[in-house]
Every structure is written in structure tokens, then in C-alpha cells.
Amino acid sequence: MRPLRLSALSAAAAATVIAAVTGCAEKSSTQGSGSGAIQVVATDDSCEVSKKEFPAGKVELAVENKGSKVTEVYILFPDDRIVTERENIGPGTKADLTAEIKAGSYEIACKPGMKGDGIRQKVTVTGGGAAARRSPEKDAAVAAYRTYVREQAEQTLPKAQTFADAVKAGDLEAAKKAYAPSRIGWERTEPVAESFGDIDPMVDLRADGVEESGKPWTGWHRLEKALWEDKKIGAEEKTLADTLMKDLKTWVNKVGTAEITPSSMANGAKELLDEVATGKVTGEEERYSHTDLVDFKANVEGAEKAYTLLKPVTSKSDPKLTVTLDRQFAALNKLLDKHRPDTSSYDFTSYDKVSDADRKELSDGVNALAEPLSKLAAAVTK
Amino acid sequence: MPDEEANSPSPSRRSVIGWGGAGLALGAVAAGGAAVALGGGEDDDPAQPAASGGAAVPFHGPHQAGIATAVPDRLHFAAFDVTTKDRAELVQLLKDWTAAAARLTAGHAVGDGAYGGQPEAPPDDTGEALGLKPSRLTLTIGFGPSLFDGRFGLKGKRPAALVDLPKFPGDNLDPARSGGDLCVQACSDDPQVAVHAIRNLARIGFGKVAVRWSQLGFGKTSSTTPDAQTPRNLFGFKDGTRNISGTDTATLDKHVWASEKDGAAWMAGGSYLVARRIRMNIETWDRTSLTEQEDIFGRDKGEGAAVGKSKEHDEPLLKAMLPTSHVRLAHPDSNSGARMLRRGYSFTDGTDGLGRLEAGLFFLAYQRDARDAFIPVQRSLGRSDALNEYIQHVGSAHFAVPPGVRDADDWWGRALFS
């Protein structure tokens, strides 16, 4: 990460959504279901909604879980962003949700067992003040990317736990081994993760940003220094491992609310390459562990994911750009493969062993990809 | 550091220098034509190919601008490696570069400009030259020997004159500052204009070419418009007092422009560029007595006159100079008449890790065939030049500089690739 780059807008937007979820949902549950409430009956394999069309404004859902599993209910934007949600609705219980909703298309989803994409119903909110409509292609790209981002976050937790457990066990070698893999999901989706301005400096701050943050140094790189430079795990490090897990769980909980648009996906892809160019190619990011190439690969994978999902849009608006990007992604991946003996593993050459000539080659590869990638946002907003 | 050794005193050379009476022209390292004034008074070349004061130098013509055109005071020179393996893509890049160069040298922004385009897109032009005059910007392309290695089907088109430069005595070349498949020389009155040009060409080239090395230069060390006063190099000496004039067509044809008869038809009207990064040991030089400095250069420091003469353009008497003097060794009479058109610049890249000025001469010389010009001259200099104690060649490159872009339908390298 770059020290403390806070996306104020996204953070504020996220905070608003969180407030809506917790505050309003709690309050409405005490008021009971008013006559205007939309009834949602959830079972283990169905999600029935009493009204598929309703006016914009304050919308209330009265949920009843008639199934045998704990469920959760969401109102979702067409691109899968969460408007509001209610988790942990036990079998046989009721819960209410409220939200201010503008006119447009939405989905209501029940998730029996609190897993997967859920059982969905399309609903239409009528009235003025509708948000600008996007093409279904763009909504599909954003929805798929949101799923990817959520999956990456969720899959990070067990890997980070392995790392944290090793630190807490005082096992230096096991902790070193688990360090780089624990960061892959984060590095793949860094622009979205960074949009929650408060989490990023807690988990991914480098030594250079500590003073600026005005807070104690926590997160991966603090532990990286302990493991590789100080070569010891003390009581403080063990506490920090728990702190890292706590902060990563906050990230996982927030990630579904991230503001994502086609152009933010495109810019995010470019930003991932910027991260590579300023932090990884220079060896600054992982200055103690020298696992920069693992981050490098993860950044490229994350950028490629966003690009691939946007390709149905780009191939119409700027087909030449698509051809160039396909080729440059392939070329950079090929260059990276030179630095790992097994392309199915994430064991890359330690970056301090990568020669200046090879670093130059990687840097040239990054420039070759990042320059056309900087044109992606314009291509998807055309 | 490469200069470590050169810095250490070499008793044998010092004693020779003490002998006095010789001279070196740093330029002579540089060059044949440089060292000496054969007649040619100050006023006999009134022609100024391009107006000074920020005017535009015509981009189109039989020869590329930036060779015989007037030398402005600033330089950004860049060497590139071609990274694409696709010949068609390289050709397209050369066309794109040509179009951009035509706009840049006329004082226009690249593509759709630096602002006013699609808000989501990075602007085509980087914008730092907005509001600046054309500033006599010239952009000159060259093709290095490595471009003819077979990747692009050019093997059979490599000119015999585009040799791999031999290793010269005393060379301490850094591969990271040497060679290159392509080069672009940007000369301008305004450093920002020159840097802007290279930056934008590099940007257009990402994915097809990669910058291998580049050099900024300031303070021209020679002139193609014989000035009343010859510029001084960083040793404080005038040099290049008798460079080939940009209007001396007979000499240009004889010594600078390649001809169809030379072997490579596509090079007719072009020239061969030798670029050398010559580090100067500034601090040691500054501790050298005036007598010794003047002996080394073979000129006096104030006027720039050759040994025993009173004016800088006075014809030198080579025999009056130390046999190892720079001027004497570099003079055409010592090199079977070899001459080059010199366009070198002083450079400083700040200080090195030892606090020494990281500075010197970025030597640029154009010639019809380096085998008859730079190579014999540098062989002689590298072996014997008294100045070698204070300088070291640390970067080197050789390029075939094709003829000019004739009109809007023509492009850099068309004759080579067609």
C-alpha cells in the first residue's frame, strides 16, 4: 500500500451504508411490521417476496424464516452492492429491515445457511430520482467483480489465521512460510481494500508511513520486520497477530458494501500496476522478506481479473485496446514465470536475488502493460 | 567507480605533461574537426539555419534536423531497446513517432493534447511544455547495430559502416549506458521542451520499446554555426573552434552525409552518429596548474589560441605541441584528414557517492563513416592523449542516422523497412 492513502469518498459511503444496516434495522425491529412492509418468507430453498414493485423512499421488509437453517436477507443493487442486510435470522424467527431506496432495479436475496449468492428475486422500485441506468453488461461485470473481491477477502482469513497461529506459537519458520501466502487475497483486491481508508493503514502499513499515521505500527509489515530482521517473536508480536486477524475480519465484513463501478474497476486495475511499479519492482514493499514477487503476481492477477470482467464492454468500445491488453498481460505473466520454478505454486525467487537486468526487464514489462491499461477507464465509460 | 583508477596519479604521464608546450582539446577526444581553426574567420559564416529565440526548425527535408542545423544549448538523448518481436508493430511505432515528432518540433502537443479530452482518460500529451515556444527543438532518430540482428529481417540491410565499435584503450564502458537498438536525440533551447519530447516518445513507445539509457546535456561544447566565441567545456577550455559548419555543403557531403555509393542505399543522405559518455575528473583537473592545463589542451585558457598563436581561430602549429597533446592527436592532419561534425554537450548528473561532480562531456559526432573518422582518431587518443589522466570514456554507442523525412507521407526509417 501507499501509506495512508484514504479514499474519503468511498469510506464515507461505506460508513453510511453500515449505519443504515445496523441503526435502521435495529430500530425497525422494535416497531414491528407496519402495514406497508413487504413480506419476505424465507425457507431453506425459497425466498418469497410479497411485492415485486414498490415506490421509492423508505422501504421496510418484514422477514420470516420458516426454514431450518439460519438465514440472512439482503437488498442488493443490480451490481450486487449491498443496500441493506440482516444477518443471523434463526429458524422460526422474524426480523425487519428498512432502507431509503431510490427508484431502480434491485434484488432481494435470502441466504439459507448464510452461504453463497442466495436465492434471489428481482424487484422494481418506482418513482423519480432514479440513478442513471447502466448497461446489463456493466452491471454484470461489477457484480462478478464484487463476488471476486468478497471471495478473495473470505479466502484470506484462513490463510492469515495460519500465519497468525504460527506467530502466536512462536514458530519463526512456519510464520515466515505462511507470511506471503496470507497476503495474496489482499494484494489481488488492494484498490477495493484500500477504499476502506481505516483498514489499510492498520494491516498493510510500511515503516515509512508509521510516523504519518500517528498510531502504533500494526499489520503484516510490522510482523515481517520481526520475523526477518529482528528474527524473533515476542509477546508484542503475538498480540499483533491477533490484531491483524481482527482488522482483517473487519475488512471481510465491509467488503460487500464497497462502492464499485466499471470505471473504478478499470482504475483499480491500473492502480494495481502502479503499486507494482512504485513498490514491488523497487523491492520496497517487502524489504525484509523479499517476497515482492508474490505481491507482484497477486497485483497482476487482480488487475487481470478486473480487466477480463470488463472485456465484454471494452471489446465493443475499443477492440484494439483489448488486443493490446491481452498480449501485455500474457507477456508480463510470462516474465514473472521466469522467476518461479513451478507455475502452479507461489514460490517466487527472493527479490534480493533478482538481478538488476531482470528487474529492468520486469519494470519494462510493467510499463508496457500499465500504459495501455491507463486507457481502460476511458474505454469502459465511452 | 570507473574513475577511481584514472584519478590516481600516473607518474609517467605527469612527467611528460610537465614537458610543456602541448595541448589537448577535450573536443579532440572528440574530434577531428574540432581542434583546429583552418582560417575561417569569425564572420565568414553568417548563415544561421534556424532563427534563434525559440523558433521552429523545419522537421521535413532531405537530411534530419539536429545534425547540420544550429546547435541549441540543451539536450536530452535517449537510447531504446526494441521489446516487441513484431516487425509491423515496430514500423507502426516509427510512424507514430514520426507524426509525434513533426508536431513536437513545430511546438504542438502530442495527439489530442494535454487537456480537454475524455475526462476518464489520461491526456495524450503530458503537458509540461504547454505555453513554451518550439525552442528550436530537433528530434533525430538513429538505428543501432543490434537492430540488425535478425529479429526484424534487417540483417542484410546493416550498413558496412555501422560497425561494432572496437574497444579503445582506457575504455571503462558501462553496458547500462551503452548501445541501444534505437536512439532519439532531442536538442532544444529549453530543457523542458527537450525532456518533454523524449518523455512523450517513450510513453508512446511503452510495450514496443523500452528506454535503455538516457543523458541530459547542457552547455553545447561545439557549434555548427561558427560563433565569434566558441563554447567552453567543463574544463574551462574552448573547444571545437573549427567544427564543420552547417552551411558548408561541400564539407558536409565529403565528411558527414552518407552517399548511395557507400553501400547502404537506404542511408543515402543520412549519417553515422557516435555517442560517448566521457566522465571528467573535475576536482583533479581543478587542482592542476594553469601551465599544465594549457599544455594539455595546447591552447591558452583565456583566448583559446593554439600554442604560440594569439587568436582561437589561428592556424595551429602542430609541431609546437606536445606529441601527446589532445589537439595535436585529434587534428585532421594527424589522422589522414579525418573530420567529424561535433554536437557534444556538457553534462552533470549531480555528484557521485564520493562527493565528486558526476560530470563530463557527452560527445556526439556525426560522420560519413566512423571507420575513417572517430575510430582512428579515438584509437590514437586512447593510446597517447595526455588528457586521459583527467577523463574516462564510460558509455558508448553507434547509430546509423537515416536521411530526413521528406514530407507528411514519409516516416523515420521508411527506406530501411520498405
Side-chain angles (χ1 to χ4, degrees), chain A residues 81-97:
Chain A
R81 181 156 58 98
I82 299 165
V83 179
T84 183
E85 67 173 330
R86 185 70 194 262
E87 295 177 331
N88 284 316
I89 306 168
T93 65
K94 294 181 180 181
D96 297 341
L97 289 82

Side-chain angles (χ1 to χ4, degrees), chain B residues 170-190:
Chain B
D171 275 5
N172 187 6
L173 303 181
D174 176 0
R177 290 189 189 277
S178 299
D181 293 330
L182 302 172
C183 73
V184 178
Q185 169 196 281
C187 300
S188 170
D189 292 320
D190 185 326

Side-chain angles (χ1 to χ4, degrees), chain A residues 327 360 364 368 371 374 378 381, chain B residues 89 118 120 122 203 207 210-211:
Chain A
R327 200 177 51 220
K360 166 82 164 54
D364 289 344
E371 186 65 28
S374 72
T381 48
Chain B
E89 202 171 50
Q118 207 183 340
E120 294 85 0
R203 193 175 166 216
V211 175

Side-chain angles (χ1 to χ4, degrees), chain A residues 263 267 324 327-328 334 360 364 367-369 371-372 374-375 377-379 381-382, chain B residues 81 83-86 89 118 120-122 124 203-204 206-208 210-213:
Chain A
S263 63
N267 280 321
T324 304
R327 200 177 51 220
Q328 295 301 349
K334 207 171 149 195
K360 166 82 164 54
D364 289 344
N367 279 336
L369 172 59
E371 186 65 28
S374 72
K375 298 182 170 76
T381 48
K382 255 181 201 166
Chain B
D81 289 324
T83 51
T84 180
K85 296 182 175 80
D86 181 350
E89 202 171 50
Q118 207 183 340
E120 294 85 0
D124 285 352
R203 193 175 166 216
I204 292 168
F206 283 137
K208 286 142 292 204
V211 175
R212 182 180 172 86
W213 55 272

Side-chain angles (χ1 to χ4, degrees), chain A residues 199-215:
Chain A
I199 301 174
D200 188 40
M202 294 192 289
V203 304
D204 200 26
L205 194 66
R206 299 197 304 248
D208 341 83
V210 175
E211 198 176 328
E212 192 187 344
S213 81
K215 289 181 184 165

Side-chain angles (χ1 to χ4, degrees), chain A residues 52-72:
Chain A
K52 300 277 172 71
E53 193 172 308
F54 40 89
K58 190 181 175 192
V59 171
E60 192 175 348
L61 297 190
V63 181
E64 184 174 5
N65 182 3
K66 290 189 175 176
S68 64
K69 294 176 183 169
V70 177
T71 195
E72 52 193 10

